[in-house]
Amino acid sequence: MFKYDIVENSIIDVLNKSFLMEFESIYKSIRIKGKGCLIEYISAFFRKWYYSALIEDTIITPNCIAEYGAGAEYVYPVIKSKTINRIGSLNISNIKYSLDNHPICFDFRGLVENFKNGIALDADFKMDFCDIKKIDNITNYDSNYITYLFMLGMDLGYIEKMPSVGVSMYCTTGTADELDSISNKDLLIKLTEAAIKISASFLSDDFMGENYIVTESVIREWLKNPEPIDKIFEEAYGEIALEISDSILIEDMDEMERLITAKTYARGIILDKWFLTPFSYYFRFIDTTYMYEFSFYDEMMFLINAVETNKVFKEETIIDSAVYSPCTMYKLSKLGSDYFEIEYEDKIPYIFKNMKAEDILDAAIGNYEDGRFKILNAYEPEFDVYNLRITDAENDLWFNLEVKENMTLDNLHVYITNIFQTPVIICQSYRFYKLPASPFTEYTPRFMEMRGPHTEDNTVKGLLDIGEECYYEVVLLSKSDKLESRTINIKLKDIIRNKSGVPYPRIGEVSPEIKMKFK
């Protein structure tokens, strides 16, 4: 009989204990109605925390510490509670994952077995918590996870709807008998293929819009060759802008940006729910990273408010907005590399070459400034800082920007547009160029399909020497729905040698006319 393995690991156990202590402390301090929902969605809280930076703007997440410091390959912690609405008994197990012994296969077999006598589900395919607890030794009581397994069972033909009056009943089919003879590795393949189809279906319907279909091959490409989340959204931005400009006459550019941002936010939730969460937290094929610190209190209050609001409006997406949010980046995990037969790029973070895992863990969860400073100084090698003067002469705007030598021109483009409040989400094209102009001195993003160097592959260091200057030109959609260009001068003032830590990019002096938005 297939059985998942639970292992002990001192470093992962310390991380788990840290989460439980923080969660329980804040939970007990909250005195408002409805806080019981925090236990029902404990899995979502743990997932976000596990993949979120313990120190802002670093990749030092609990997952990162577990992967590179715990010395336990393919081991992931999973949380569950025996109650649904009170602090009760929270438990975190460190579970061993492998292609031949994958917990999702065990959970799936148990779920299908549980449907033999029929189970009633609500309109959103949610199972009652008392029925979830009957599933033999399941790893995770999270209702969203159970619903996802149910959807896999329906798509694979192992579960079907029963004729019934006044209630939605589902039971296993005759096809489910094959689960007794199928190997765990073969079942994992079937589940993965079904998951890819589900992901493609929901992203095609809700993520990109009716003009863009997310095929199964696109999902496989996203899995095998991970990109920054912004890259995945890049084409979506264009689709959203077209939808709004084609259907609504908007004279106010700020209003158009607000609508685009709202739609983008909604689609980010969809991306997390049907792609990032299933393939990271359920299958463990990818490791996600949120490069911002997880705030227990803020996330708790956000969820309580969403659940209480949903009681009035009866709209499940309200709760989804508190449970799901796209990460900053993701990469193929070791398990995912094994599954897709791709060589794993084991790029050990620089900090693990300079600090012991125990010291990193102590400094990261200790929440004291000396420890954080120690991590920031050991986080990466020393680097040079380039001090840039960026000028929009036509509009009499300028600012100084200090950036790391390895900042890509693609990222520099984003910072310039943010500071000048350029609507980057409807940017049509942009380029950096030096004079005299030639194919070798013009840098364009890959989506423009131009010959010559690309902004994603070239850095500030490779572009400028002290005293040199270049030009940044961006083409965007104007208030009158026409394309207009903007040219900005960039000059390298000086280079600050041998810095460390991660406080860059950093704004220096600015012209008084610039209205910037800083955290």
Side-chain angles (χ1 to χ4, degrees):
M1 179 67 177
F2 171 70
K3 183 78 168 66
Y4 58 82
D5 297 322
I6 297 178
V7 300
E8 292 184 4
N9 183 278
S10 59
I11 287 182
I12 300 178
D13 288 340
V14 171
L15 287 167
N16 296 343
K17 184 178 179 181
S18 171
F19 173 85
L20 290 174
M21 289 178 61
E22 185 74 10
F23 181 88
E24 290 182 9
S25 172
I26 297 179
Y27 179 88
K28 291 176 180 178
S29 71
I30 294 176
R31 304 294 182 187
I32 64 174
K33 176 185 176 183
K35 76 173 185 178
C37 69
L38 301 175
I39 306 301
E40 180 179 357
Y41 292 96
I42 187 67
S43 183
F45 274 93
F46 184 72
R47 169 177 55 83
K48 281 189 178 182
W49 171 85
Y50 187 69
Y51 291 117
S52 293
L54 294 171
I55 295 179
E56 194 87 9
D57 290 329
T58 73
I59 61 167
I60 306 301
T61 65
N63 176 66
C64 180
I65 293 176
E67 178 180 3
Y68 295 104
E73 288 191 344
Y74 310 108
V75 175
Y76 289 90
V78 179
I79 192 170
K80 66 179 179 181
S81 173
K82 293 181 181 179
T83 63
I84 194 174
N85 56 10
R86 53 190 174 85
I87 197 69
S89 177
L90 294 176
N91 177 61
I92 303 178
S93 299
N94 302 329
I95 299 177
K96 182 84 170 181
Y97 285 69
S98 72
L99 301 185
D100 296 317
N101 203 36
H102 199 297
I104 198 172
C105 295
F106 180 84
D107 292 342
F108 182 77
R109 291 178 190 275
L111 177 127
V112 173
E113 177 71 21
N114 223 41
F115 272 90
K116 280 191 173 180
N117 297 321
I119 294 180
L121 303 179
D122 67 15
D124 297 315
F125 304 130
K126 299 290 185 183
M127 186 186 299
D128 191 87
F129 189 68
C130 65
D131 288 322
I132 293 176
K133 292 210 300 182
K134 293 177 184 177
I135 303 174
D136 183 40
N137 207 25
I138 194 164
T139 63
N140 192 345
Y141 288 148
D142 178 48
S143 62
N144 287 326
Y145 176 59
I146 300 302
T147 298
Y148 190 78
L149 293 180
F150 165 79
M151 293 174 66
L152 293 175
M154 288 284 288
D155 284 9
L156 291 172
Y158 295 146
I159 302 173
E160 64 181 358
K161 189 172 185 180
M162 299 171 58
S164 55
V165 178
V167 65
S168 296
M169 294 290 295
Y170 297 84
C171 66
T172 57
T173 66
T175 308
D177 292 338
E178 74 176 44
L179 286 174
D180 294 333
S181 58
I182 189 173
S183 71
N184 293 311
K185 177 65 177 296
D186 288 340
L187 177 57
L188 180 61
I189 293 173
K190 291 173 72 72
L191 292 174
T192 302
E193 289 304 304
I196 289 173
K197 290 179 181 178
I198 289 174
S199 183
S201 175
F202 278 94
L203 291 181
S204 291
D205 290 344
D206 300 319
F207 178 57
M208 294 295 200
E210 61 182 19
N211 298 321
Y212 188 93
I213 301 299
V214 179
T215 64
E216 293 173 35
S217 62
V218 169
I219 300 297
R220 289 191 182 89
E221 184 65 20
W222 286 353
L223 288 170
K224 293 180 180 180
N225 299 291
E227 292 184 311
I229 296 300
D230 286 348
K231 296 296 181 185
I232 292 179
F233 274 107
E234 201 166 77
E235 191 158 359
Y237 290 151
E239 291 293 327
I240 296 169
L242 285 174
E243 287 178 19
I244 293 177
S245 61
D246 287 347
S247 60
I248 306 174
L249 180 60
I250 299 178
E251 296 182 357
D252 186 347
M253 207 64 175
D254 291 336
E255 175 67 7
M256 185 171 186
E257 285 189 54
R258 187 190 66 77
L259 289 173
I260 292 174
T261 300
K263 279 204 169 191
T264 302
Y265 175 74
R267 290 178 179 183
I269 294 170
I270 295 296
L271 181 67
D272 187 19
K273 184 174 183 177
W274 298 112
F275 176 70
L276 296 169
T277 291
F279 290 109
S280 63
Y281 197 63
Y282 302 161
F283 284 94
R284 307 293 184 175
F285 288 161
I286 60 175
D287 289 329
T288 58
T289 300
Y290 297 84
M291 291 186 69
Y292 47 82
E293 295 180 39
F294 182 83
S295 170
F296 282 83
Y297 182 81
D298 289 346
E299 294 286 346
M300 286 177 169
M301 298 305 292
F302 187 19
L303 179 59
I304 293 171
N305 181 65
V307 171
E308 292 301 308
T309 302
N310 180 57
K311 291 178 181 178
V312 177
F313 293 99
K314 306 296 182 183
E315 178 54 61
E316 191 70 19
T317 56
I318 296 174
I319 298 179
D320 284 350
S321 68
V323 173
Y324 300 101
S325 58
C327 58
T328 308
M329 64 180 71
Y330 71 97
K331 66 181 180 68
L332 204 60
S333 68
K334 291 183 179 180
L335 186 68
S337 298
D338 289 346
Y339 181 85
F340 292 108
E341 298 181 340
I342 296 174
E343 184 177 354
Y344 181 70
E345 293 186 16
D346 195 7
K347 296 181 179 178
I348 301 175
Y350 185 81
I351 189 172
F352 287 93
K353 300 176 182 179
N354 291 274
M355 288 181 68
K356 293 181 180 179
E358 291 81 4
D359 294 336
I360 296 173
L361 178 59
D362 181 57
I365 68 176
N367 198 29
Y368 55 89
E369 285 304 312
D370 288 347
R372 288 171 173 252
F373 184 74
K374 181 187 293 185
I375 284 183
L376 291 178
N377 278 322
Y379 183 67
E380 59 187 339
E382 290 187 338
F383 51 82
D384 289 342
V385 174
Y386 279 51
N387 187 4
L388 306 175
R389 175 75 164 212
I390 299 175
T391 306
D392 180 357
E394 183 177 346
N395 296 294
D396 194 27
L397 304 172
W398 59 266
F399 65 94
N400 290 342
L401 181 66
E402 294 179 354
V403 303
K404 296 179 185 177
E405 60 183 330
N406 62 352
M407 172 182 267
T408 65
L409 300 184
D410 187 46
N411 286 335
L412 180 58
H413 148 71
V414 173
Y415 274 93
I416 293 175
T417 54
N418 282 342
I419 293 170
F420 280 138
Q421 293 194 326
T422 304
V424 64
I425 48 180
I426 49 176
C427 167
Q428 303 296 310
S429 65
Y430 71 91
R431 64 176 179 140
F432 292 87
Y433 64 92
K434 296 169 69 174
L435 298 177
S438 79
F440 304 103
T441 58
E442 181 178 12
Y443 302 79
T444 58
R446 287 197 187 94
F447 72 79
M448 289 180 62
E449 298 182 348
M450 301 284 286
R451 293 181 59 189
H454 291 137
T455 55
E456 296 90 342
D457 305 322
N458 288 272
T459 64
V460 173
K461 180 179 180 179
L463 178 68
L464 293 171
D465 289 323
I466 293 179
E468 283 192 334
E469 61 183 9
C470 68
Y471 299 89
Y472 162 71
E473 181 183 77
V474 60
V475 178
L476 21 114
L477 197 63
S478 71
K479 294 181 180 180
S480 59
D481 209 22
K482 295 180 180 179
L483 296 179
E484 62 180 33
S485 64
R486 188 174 186 177
T487 301
I488 292 166
N489 176 270
I490 302 173
K491 184 174 182 178
L492 177 57
K493 295 177 61 181
D494 58 69
I495 299 175
I496 305 171
R497 303 292 181 181
N498 300 327
K499 300 294 288 185
S500 60
V502 288
Y504 297 95
R506 185 160 59 186
I507 304 298
E509 294 182 84
V510 301
S511 61
E513 294 81 6
I514 295 180
K515 297 178 180 178
M516 293 176 293
K517 296 180 180 179
F518 296 119
K519 291 184 179 181

